[in-house]
Amino acid sequence: MAGAIASRMSFSSLKRKQPKTFTVRIATMDAEMEFSCEVKWKGKDLFDLVCRTLGLRETWFFGLQYTIKDTVAWLKMDKKVLDHDVPTEEPVTFHFLAKFYPENAEEELVQEITQHLFFLQYGDYDPNVHKRGFLAQEELLPKRVINLYQMTPEMWEERITAWYAEHRGRARDEAEMEYLKIAQDLEMYGVNYFAIRNKKGTELLLGVDALGLHIYDPDNRLTPKISFPWNEIRNISYSDKEFTIKPLDKKIDVFKFNSSKLRVNKLILQLCIGNHDLFMRRRKADSLEVQQMKAQAREEKARKQMERQRLAREKQMREEAERTRDELERRLMQLKEEATMANEALMRSEETADLLAEKAQITEEEAKLLAQKAAEAEQEMQRIKATAIRTEEEKRLMEQKVLEAEMLALKMAEESERRAKEADQLKQDLQEARESERRAKQKLLEITSKSSYTQSMNSSTTALPTDLPSFNLISESLSFDFKDTDMKRLSMEIEKEKVEYMEKSKHLQEQLNELKTEIEALKLKERETALDILHNENASRGNSKHNTIKKLTLQSTKSRVAFFEEL
């Protein structure tokens, strides 16, 4: 009885010790994950779990976003997950997104997974897979862009496919980085916009990004009217809906603005603090963690480069082997055709030789028969001459018969001679036919020996791509214990690859400019939006995002603050 009570008590205590959990769904840009979280977990516990699952170490760019009514918010690291204003029904959904953006993606994004999360790519071009119509279901361009040009879907697909094929073989990380480099130069890249009012009540837009705070006209989100880099700002705070910015120069008065909601102020402050920290961090020496990541990234890049080179060599050898195999098969077919023709010629030669032999035999027999008749005629002529002809009439008749017999004998002799010549000619033709037959048999023998050699070569060649012991040896001997000499060689290879990459990047920019020029004539001007017109004006003036901000910051901070107050 006591044992049963103790057992029941231990089970009850175990049940009480089990932590309460709730289900969380995390939506990344290309997948969804679900986790079971403890009620006591803070935002950092959940965020770290997601980052570990993704294998992400550059965590400072990302956050977990959720929506409160019509406003987005970010999960705070030091606050319990369930203490946030999140929906109560499970699973609780958060979006794992980029919260902060790099100034220079090529220099700052170290891990490939970080780069990949900033951009999802489609894969390499394969003409056997990417056939006509393969882009029909892909939304590669916004409908607004498609409607802006007088081009059919087939025309878009033709141009996209041609460019896609031209960049065949480009590594995924290179393709992603080229995309990010193009994106980061766009005016609205990485900017979070918020509706604000200055002390005069003028409606403006506040833009928060990696470079600083920017003030925009509500009708122009591309070109800021004023900019304040992060290194000019000392402190940011808010009270209710009023935001206060303290410049680094304490002699300059603070400037204030009002936002629409208190919740928006919290979001603005989060983004300002995070972007300011990253701005200052970029301008300091890399931490040990970042140095380690960069070293690992270089080693990984070198390993992938060697692997790509090995695969390229294998692919090249395989293609050469396939070309050799195709050539040998073509040659084999040609030899087979020649052998068939030689066999047919041999059969014709044999038939001709048999016919000539038979004809020669007949001609020879006819010649013998004519010779025999000629002899008989000669004998008859001699007999007639020896016979005494008594009367003139008999003599005349006899002479006439003798004359006829002589003419007949002459004709027979001529015919016999002609037949003899014909027999000699037939014998000569028979000899030539026999010689042709011998040559045909010899050629057939040569073709047969060549075809057997070709078949043996063909079998050994087609086996080449699947049996490459040298490649197995290379793969087995690969070692990444980088010594000084290895590092020097690696540095040279990386530098060489960097130069090649820069050339490819420059070529890509030239191609983009060519494409813009090519399709400009097909643009429907009446369908351009206000932002399209502003972007075109900036481009025609040579105003890029960075040089515009640089020009705006040439004025003193005091004059810019005064300008903001008077807007």
Side-chain angles (χ1 to χ4, degrees):
M1 183 71 178
I5 294 172
S7 175
R8 203 177 295 118
M9 288 176 64
S10 63
F11 178 77
S12 299
S13 61
L14 178 63
K15 186 176 181 181
R16 283 198 302 271
K17 289 180 181 177
Q18 289 178 346
K20 294 182 179 180
T21 61
F22 63 98
T23 304
V24 170
R25 176 179 295 157
I26 305 296
T28 67
M29 289 178 283
D30 62 347
E32 287 188 353
M33 302 176 288
E34 285 196 0
F35 299 99
S36 180
C37 302
E38 296 181 20
V39 173
K40 65 179 182 180
W41 275 16
K42 293 184 177 181
K44 188 175 187 307
D45 297 320
L46 177 59
F47 182 72
D48 289 346
L49 176 60
V50 175
C51 292
R52 285 197 304 272
T53 304
L54 294 173
L56 178 68
R57 294 179 64 184
E58 295 175 279
T59 58
W60 45 86
F61 289 112
F62 300 91
L64 291 173
Q65 188 187 89
Y66 61 99
T67 303
I68 306 175
K69 298 179 181 178
D70 57 344
T71 306
V72 299
W74 296 90
L75 194 70
K76 292 182 179 179
M77 298 293 107
D78 57 350
K79 188 175 180 180
K80 286 185 178 181
V81 176
L82 293 182
D83 286 348
H84 291 76
D85 192 6
V86 295
T88 56
E89 62 272 8
E90 296 186 31
V92 181
T93 300
F94 295 96
H95 293 274
F96 186 83
L97 298 170
K99 186 177 181 180
F100 307 106
Y101 290 79
E103 290 182 36
N104 188 320
E106 189 173 10
E107 293 181 3
E108 295 181 49
L109 302 184
V110 179
Q111 276 190 296
E112 188 174 339
I113 180 63
T114 312
Q115 179 178 305
H116 185 63
L117 287 171
F118 271 92
F119 170 79
L120 299 176
Q121 82 117 38
Y122 282 86
D124 200 8
Y125 174 77
D126 185 347
N128 297 321
V129 176
H130 303 113
K131 298 179 180 178
R132 180 176 290 276
F134 83 100
L135 293 176
Q137 304 302 320
E138 300 285 353
E139 294 185 6
L140 297 182
L141 296 170
K143 292 188 182 298
R144 187 186 65 79
V145 175
I146 294 176
N147 295 333
L148 187 59
Y149 293 88
Q150 198 171 1
M151 295 170 63
T152 63
E154 291 75 17
M155 293 170 68
W156 280 114
E157 180 175 315
E158 180 183 353
R159 281 165 171 77
I160 292 173
T161 305
W163 280 59
Y164 191 20
E166 187 172 341
H167 297 290
R168 183 185 183 189
R170 185 184 285 266
R172 189 190 77 173
D173 54 344
E174 288 183 9
E176 289 178 345
M177 184 52 67
E178 287 298 334
Y179 180 90
L180 292 175
K181 284 165 63 178
I182 294 169
Q184 73 182 9
D185 289 335
L186 298 176
E187 295 94 331
M188 297 174 67
Y189 167 80
V191 182
N192 290 279
Y193 297 94
F194 302 94
I196 63 169
R197 294 173 184 267
N198 63 2
K199 67 178 183 179
K200 292 178 65 175
T202 306
E203 292 186 355
L204 300 166
L205 284 179
L206 172 70
V208 184
D209 70 357
L211 298 174
L213 297 177
H214 316 288
I215 307 300
Y216 297 85
D217 188 293
D219 296 328
N220 184 354
R221 297 190 176 205
L222 303 185
T223 308
K225 300 178 78 65
I226 319 169
S227 288
F228 298 95
W230 292 120
N231 58 355
E232 294 183 359
I233 298 174
R234 174 167 51 95
N235 181 267
I236 304 173
S237 61
Y238 70 89
S239 175
D240 195 20
K241 295 182 181 180
E242 185 179 73
F243 229 94
T244 302
I245 308 294
K246 293 181 179 180
L248 185 64
D249 188 349
K250 295 183 180 180
K251 295 179 182 179
I252 303 173
D253 293 335
V254 300
F255 61 98
K256 302 178 180 181
F257 58 82
N258 292 315
S259 65
S260 57
K261 299 177 183 176
L262 175 61
R263 189 180 295 117
V264 173
N265 272 358
K266 294 180 180 180
L267 178 58
I268 293 174
L269 184 61
Q270 281 187 29
L271 293 174
C272 287
I273 293 173
N275 276 300
H276 182 272
D277 289 346
L278 286 177
F279 181 87
M280 302 308 293
R281 180 177 180 171
R282 293 184 193 104
R283 284 145 183 84
K284 296 178 182 178
D286 290 336
S287 65
L288 181 60
E289 181 186 8
V290 174
Q291 291 179 26
Q292 290 175 346
M293 281 195 294
K294 287 185 176 180
Q296 290 173 358
R298 285 194 295 269
E299 292 178 9
E300 181 66 13
K301 189 173 184 180
R303 185 190 67 79
K304 288 187 175 182
Q305 178 67 14
M306 294 175 68
E307 181 67 14
R308 281 199 292 264
Q309 290 175 354
R310 183 182 69 82
L311 291 174
R313 287 195 300 269
E314 286 186 5
K315 183 179 179 181
Q316 183 180 1
M317 293 189 68
R318 189 179 295 108
E319 289 176 351
E320 290 177 357
E322 289 175 355
R323 285 195 296 269
T324 304
R325 181 195 63 195
D326 294 340
E327 176 61 24
L328 290 174
E329 288 179 351
R330 187 190 65 78
R331 181 59 181 159
L332 178 62
M333 291 297 296
Q334 183 179 352
L335 290 173
K336 286 181 178 179
E337 291 177 0
E338 291 180 1
T340 302
M341 293 174 63
N343 274 324
E344 292 175 354
L346 177 61
M347 292 177 62
R348 288 195 300 269
S349 298
E350 289 176 349
E351 291 174 358
T352 303
D354 292 341
L355 289 173
L356 289 173
E358 184 179 354
K359 190 173 181 181
Q361 184 178 0
I362 293 172
T363 305
E364 189 175 357
E365 290 176 356
E366 288 179 351
K368 288 180 180 179
L369 183 59
L370 288 172
Q372 183 180 353
K373 288 183 178 179
E376 291 176 356
E378 182 66 23
Q379 290 176 3
E380 180 65 22
M381 183 182 63
Q382 294 297 331
R383 187 182 64 77
I384 291 173
K385 285 182 178 180
T387 303
I389 302 173
R390 296 184 179 270
T391 60
E392 279 299 320
E393 185 63 25
E394 289 177 350
K395 185 178 179 180
R396 186 180 61 79
L397 291 173
M398 189 61 63
E399 287 176 353
Q400 185 177 356
K401 286 183 179 181
V402 169
L403 183 60
E404 291 176 357
E406 288 178 350
M407 291 178 67
L408 180 60
L410 182 60
K411 285 183 180 179
M412 286 185 177
E414 291 176 355
E415 182 67 18
S416 177
E417 185 178 355
R418 188 180 66 78
R419 290 290 184 175
K421 288 181 180 180
E422 186 175 349
D424 292 339
Q425 184 63 40
L426 287 172
K427 287 179 181 179
Q428 184 178 353
D429 293 344
L430 177 61
Q431 186 176 358
E432 291 177 356
R434 296 293 185 190
E435 181 64 23
S436 298
E437 180 182 352
R438 185 188 64 77
R439 286 197 302 269
K441 288 180 178 179
Q442 182 66 26
K443 185 171 182 180
L444 181 61
L445 183 61
E446 291 175 0
I447 292 172
T448 306
S449 63
K450 284 183 181 179
S451 63
S452 62
Y453 171 73
T454 304
Q455 290 171 353
S456 65
M457 282 293 292
N458 189 25
S459 62
S460 64
T461 304
T462 52
L464 181 61
T466 58
D467 185 16
L468 298 170
S470 62
F471 294 138
N472 293 333
L473 180 61
I474 292 172
S475 61
E476 290 172 2
S477 65
L478 283 176
S479 175
F480 295 98
D481 182 15
F482 289 98
K483 300 179 181 177
D484 291 342
T485 54
D486 296 330
M487 288 305 297
K488 288 180 181 178
R489 178 178 56 79
L490 175 60
S491 299
M492 292 177 64
E493 289 180 358
I494 290 176
E495 186 63 28
K496 180 182 177 182
E497 184 180 353
K498 186 175 180 181
V499 172
E500 293 176 352
Y501 176 73
M502 293 299 292
E503 291 177 353
K504 289 180 181 178
S505 181
K506 182 180 179 182
H507 180 58
L508 180 61
Q509 290 293 335
E510 293 173 352
Q511 287 179 317
L512 284 174
N513 292 332
E514 289 177 6
L515 178 62
K516 288 179 183 177
T517 305
E518 180 184 351
I519 65 175
E520 187 64 26
L522 300 172
K523 183 183 286 187
L524 299 171
K525 298 292 185 180
E526 64 274 12
R527 294 184 182 177
E528 286 186 327
T529 64
L531 288 179
D532 290 329
I533 296 171
L534 289 170
H535 175 74
N536 293 335
E537 289 176 355
N538 285 340
S540 62
R541 293 170 185 165
N543 294 335
S544 66
K545 173 183 178 180
H546 295 282
N547 64 26
T548 299
I549 295 174
K550 188 175 180 180
K551 289 177 183 177
L552 291 173
T553 55
L554 291 176
Q555 298 176 344
S556 66
T557 307
K558 184 176 182 179
S559 63
R560 277 178 277 141
V561 171
F563 182 77
F564 169 73
E565 300 287 358
E566 294 300 322
L567 283 174

